Amino acid sequence: MTIRRALIILMWFLLLAAGLGLYVFKSQRKPTPVKNEKAAFTKTLEVAPAVKIVDKPKPLLPAVKAVPIVCQTKNIIELADLINTQRAKSHLGILKLSSKLSESAQKQAQYLAKEKKCSHLGPDGKLPWQRSGADGELVGCGYANASDTLSAWLGSKPNRTALLFKGAGSMGIGVFNGYWVILLSI
């Protein structure tokens, strides 16, 4: 992967994170003092600067510990590269990373982590093609890294067939606390 491609993906994901109000790494500057010490909610992370903190904020997903957005982006880039490497070994074209599909996959990964379940049904009971217009979805739950997730998918005949489908042209990847979602589109 080229550095330019990695930076574009990272910039896209950071913009997406800011729009969704996800957590990002704290900058090098010192945090502004808080009048009420109970409102100091974290030592290593803070809410994106666009959000004004009035009182202790409610976490995006209260039941799930927030993962730094940079780690999620690294996992997404790594998984995309691993998938395209596997497709190249099978003499198939690479899958382009779609921002629309990635946004939907990220929402699904967060939902699954919050509910602590592994399912293709979204929060509204819809299937992937109803939620996002994707043609297929792969879900992995409880995997620590991209290579373990891909190994599990390649070990499952239906998932392997979907990942190596000749007609697939784009994908969206969402990762949240060990929950991995890939949306595939023709």
Side-chain angles (χ1 to χ4, degrees):
M1 174 190 298
T2 65
I3 293 175
R4 180 175 178 226
R5 180 175 170 213
L7 288 174
I8 290 170
I9 293 170
L10 178 63
M11 287 174 39
W12 168 84
F13 202 80
L14 290 175
L15 288 172
L16 173 66
L20 294 175
L22 296 174
Y23 292 99
V24 296
F25 277 111
K26 184 190 287 187
S27 65
Q28 296 297 329
R29 63 179 167 73
K30 293 186 178 184
T32 55
V34 179
K35 292 180 183 178
N36 180 356
E37 288 184 24
K38 290 182 182 178
F41 61 95
T42 183
K43 293 180 182 177
T44 59
L45 298 172
E46 71 179 1
V47 175
V51 178
K52 183 178 179 182
I53 300 173
V54 178
D55 199 357
K56 183 176 177 180
K58 293 180 182 175
L60 181 63
L61 298 171
V64 180
K65 179 182 171 190
V67 174
I69 197 75
V70 174
C71 294
Q72 293 175 20
T73 303
K74 178 183 173 246
N75 286 330
I76 289 170
I77 293 168
E78 182 181 358
L79 185 56
D81 282 344
L82 288 171
I83 289 169
N84 282 325
T85 299
Q86 189 66 39
R87 287 180 61 84
K89 287 179 186 176
S90 299
H91 307 288
L92 298 168
I94 64 167
L95 298 177
K96 296 176 184 173
L97 202 55
S98 160
S99 59
K100 178 186 171 197
L101 291 176
S102 291
E103 183 179 349
S104 184
Q106 185 65 32
K107 287 178 183 177
Q108 179 70 0
Q110 289 173 325
Y111 166 71
L112 295 175
K114 177 183 175 187
E115 297 298 319
K116 295 185 177 15
K117 65 181 183 178
C118 205
S119 172
H120 292 287
L121 291 178
D124 52 4
K126 292 183 178 178
L127 291 167
W129 46 88
Q130 296 168 319
R131 288 192 313 268
S132 64
D135 297 304
E137 177 181 66
L138 281 71
V139 175
C141 304
Y143 296 103
N145 56 51
S147 61
D148 289 349
T149 306
L150 183 61
S151 293
W153 283 335
L154 291 174
S156 161
K157 189 172 181 177
N159 289 334
R160 181 181 184 82
T161 301
L163 280 173
L164 301 178
F165 180 64
K166 188 176 184 177
S170 61
M171 66 178 160
I173 301 174
V175 179
F176 196 80
N177 290 351
Y179 288 82
W180 303 73
V181 176
I182 292 186
L183 293 171
L184 299 166
S185 185
I186 296 175

